[in-house]
Amino acid sequence: VYAYDSKIQERINQLYKPAKYILTISIPVYVFLYYKIDLNASRINIFGFFGILIKGIYECSAIIVLMKIGRHYLNKKSILLSYLNKASFSYYLIHLLPVSILTYYFINTKLNVYIKFLLVVIFSYIFIFTIYEIVIRRLIGGLRKKIYN
């Protein structure tokens, strides 16, 4: 939606500079409130409300800043970005099964939690890449070309 709507892109460009300044100010304020005041306290107080408000402000500002930075650095022609653009939705649809299965098998191992995470990510990407290349791109893509040609 963002990539094709010029009105949204123009609005992001307009909001980028103020969002950058708001983000720069709101993150230290939120960190201060987080460590000095219990924001998860069951009772509602003005400081807790202020902390939640600051968190919402910095999150919205961060989204605007990240969208602008991403558009600036990722809006280039490259073979890798072109491939990832075509494959992203398929990767998204396929990823749940291998990630869930691998997590199930790695969860009870005695490895460090960061090693477990890294192994799940690496093996998931290998599995998803293989499924995408063999099944979706070659098998289904080949059948689609035969049917429509």
Side-chain angles (χ1 to χ4, degrees), residues 3-55:
Y4 295 109
D5 193 345
S6 61
K7 289 180 184 178
I8 294 174
Q9 290 180 10
E10 288 174 22
R11 190 70 178 141
I12 294 291
N13 288 338
Q14 291 171 351
L15 293 173
Y16 173 70
K17 202 169 196 174
K20 188 171 56 171
Y21 294 125
I22 291 170
L23 187 65
T24 305
I25 295 167
S26 63
I27 286 178
V29 171
Y30 179 74
V31 169
F32 170 77
L33 290 173
Y34 182 82
Y35 285 106
K36 295 296 179 187
I37 300 165
D38 185 11
L39 295 179
N40 296 320
S42 60
R43 61 182 178 19
I44 302 296
N45 59 30
I46 190 69
F47 296 111
F49 174 76
F50 187 65
I52 293 168
L53 181 67
I54 290 292
K55 182 179 179 192

Side-chain angles (χ1 to χ4, degrees), residues 104-139:
Y104 175 77
Y105 284 111
F106 279 113
I107 201 81
N108 292 325
T109 60
K110 295 187 189 278
L111 296 172
N112 182 322
V113 69
Y114 298 111
I115 302 295
K116 289 180 195 180
F117 174 77
L118 188 62
L119 289 172
V120 167
V121 168
I122 290 170
F123 288 133
S124 294
Y125 272 110
I126 291 169
F127 180 80
I128 294 167
F129 175 77
T130 305
I131 293 297
Y132 176 76
E133 282 297 316
I134 293 173
V135 175
I136 295 175
R137 223 170 139 210
R138 299 210 172 110
L139 190 66

Side-chain angles (χ1 to χ4, degrees), residues 65-120:
V65 169
L66 290 173
M67 288 178 77
K68 173 73 174 173
I69 290 171
R71 182 167 180 248
H72 178 74
Y73 289 107
L74 297 176
N75 198 17
K76 296 180 176 20
K77 298 283 184 191
S78 84
I79 296 170
L80 178 64
L81 290 177
S82 166
Y83 172 81
L84 291 174
N85 186 25
K86 291 176 187 172
S88 64
F89 190 67
S90 298
Y91 273 45
Y92 168 71
L93 291 176
I94 299 170
H95 88 279
L96 182 63
L97 185 63
V99 169
S100 299
I101 291 170
L102 288 168
T103 302
Y104 175 77
Y105 284 111
F106 279 113
I107 201 81
N108 292 325
T109 60
K110 295 187 189 278
L111 296 172
N112 182 322
V113 69
Y114 298 111
I115 302 295
K116 289 180 195 180
F117 174 77
L118 188 62
L119 289 172
V120 167

